[in-house]
């Protein structure tokens, strides 16, 4: 494989990244090849690994760099998870191992998603039930004022707790998705190191 073919394949495998990041990566590897010299291309390729392997590392590194250098948001964390999944798919690993990895990734994403969704339903449900309780309290105020006060009080407490829990929910969502990104990156690094040992 020639240097140009290698770089062309590498570019096609990282094209999902922003254009400036793709160009920066290609420039880096062009310089890497230039420093080695034309006569040493084969050994450089052997040292680097296949374009798929290099692309998988670039994608995984980008995912982690993107969330550590900028303000972490749920959208950025989801984007980082997506890039690590792309990195796993881009890495040249055997099909049985790929199936296991995909299953583990799916389970991790599912657990994280269900946890966030459960917390969200709880937070949304509290104010709604609180408002319903307040309305019910006002509806029976003429018939039995003690029951009315009880329902209004319970409704205000539920509404207050729901509002207070919004900030912890946002923090929990960010930390859960960030933790998932870091866990997936560690999993990817382990697979990449094992793959590199097999190919060397």
């Amino acid at each position: 494989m020639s240097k140009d073919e290698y770089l062309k394949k590498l570019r096609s495998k990282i094209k999902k990244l922003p254009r400036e990041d793709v160009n920066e990566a290609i420039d880096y590897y062009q310089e890497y090849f230039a420093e080695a010299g034309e006569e040493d291309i084969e050994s450089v390729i052997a040292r680097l690994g296949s374009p798929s392997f290099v692309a998988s590392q670039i994608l995984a590194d980008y995912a982690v760099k993107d969330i550590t250098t900028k303000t972490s948001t749920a959208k950025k964390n989801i984007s980082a998870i997506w890039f690590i999944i792309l990195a796993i798919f881009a890495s040249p690993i055997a099909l049985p191992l790929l199936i296991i990895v995909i299953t583990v990734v799916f389970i991790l994403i599912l657990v994280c998603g269900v946890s966030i969704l459960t917390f969200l339903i709880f937070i949304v449900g509290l104010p709604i039930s609180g408002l319903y309780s307040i309305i019910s309290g006002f509806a029976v105020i003429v018939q039995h004022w003690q029951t009315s006060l009880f329902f209004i009080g319970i409704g205000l407490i539920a509404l207050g707790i729901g509002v207070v829990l919004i900030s912890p929910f946002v923090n929990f969502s960010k930390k859960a998705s960030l933790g998932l990104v870091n866990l997936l990156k560690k999993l990817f690094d382990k697979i990449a190191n094992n793959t590199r040992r097999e190919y060397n």
Side-chain angles (χ1 to χ4, degrees), residues 10-11 13-26 58-59 61-63 65-66 70 76 79-80 82-83 86:
L10 180 60
R11 183 182 286 275
K13 290 181 182 296
I14 60 171
K15 64 185 179 184
K16 299 280 186 191
L17 292 176
R19 183 177 297 194
E20 60 271 16
D21 291 290
V22 172
N23 292 336
E24 188 180 317
I26 297 300
I58 292 169
L59 289 167
D61 289 341
Y62 175 82
K65 181 189 85 172
D66 192 44
K70 299 173 186 175
K76 281 190 195 315
S79 174
W82 173 244
F83 278 118
L86 284 177

Side-chain angles (χ1 to χ4, degrees), residues 83-191:
F83 278 118
I84 290 178
I85 290 169
L86 284 177
I88 290 168
F89 278 116
S91 60
I93 56 177
L95 186 61
L97 181 58
L98 182 63
I99 291 167
I100 292 167
V101 169
I102 290 168
T103 305
V104 169
V105 168
F106 177 74
I107 290 168
L108 288 173
I109 291 171
L110 193 63
V111 168
C112 184
V114 167
S115 301
I116 291 170
L117 185 63
T118 304
F119 199 178
L120 177 65
I121 290 168
F122 180 69
I123 287 178
V124 170
L126 269 176
I128 290 172
S129 60
L131 285 171
Y132 181 76
S133 182
I134 291 168
I135 291 166
S136 300
F138 280 114
V140 296
I141 199 163
V142 177
Q143 296 159 343
H144 199 265
W145 66 269
Q146 293 94 337
T147 304
S148 174
L149 287 179
F150 174 76
F151 276 118
I152 292 170
I154 292 292
L156 288 171
I157 290 168
L159 191 62
I161 292 171
V163 171
V164 167
L165 286 177
I166 290 172
S167 179
F169 168 72
V170 172
N171 289 334
F172 170 76
S173 300
K174 286 181 184 176
K175 285 181 181 176
S177 52
L178 184 61
L180 180 60
V181 170
N182 289 328
L183 198 60
L184 290 176
K185 179 66 168 75
K186 283 177 187 172
L187 176 66
F188 169 78
D189 287 340
K190 195 167 186 178
I191 292 165

Side-chain angles (χ1 to χ4, degrees), residues 2 32 53 94 147 159 166 168 196:
S2 70
Y32 193 90
F53 183 78
T147 304
L159 191 62
I166 290 172
R196 183 169 282 239

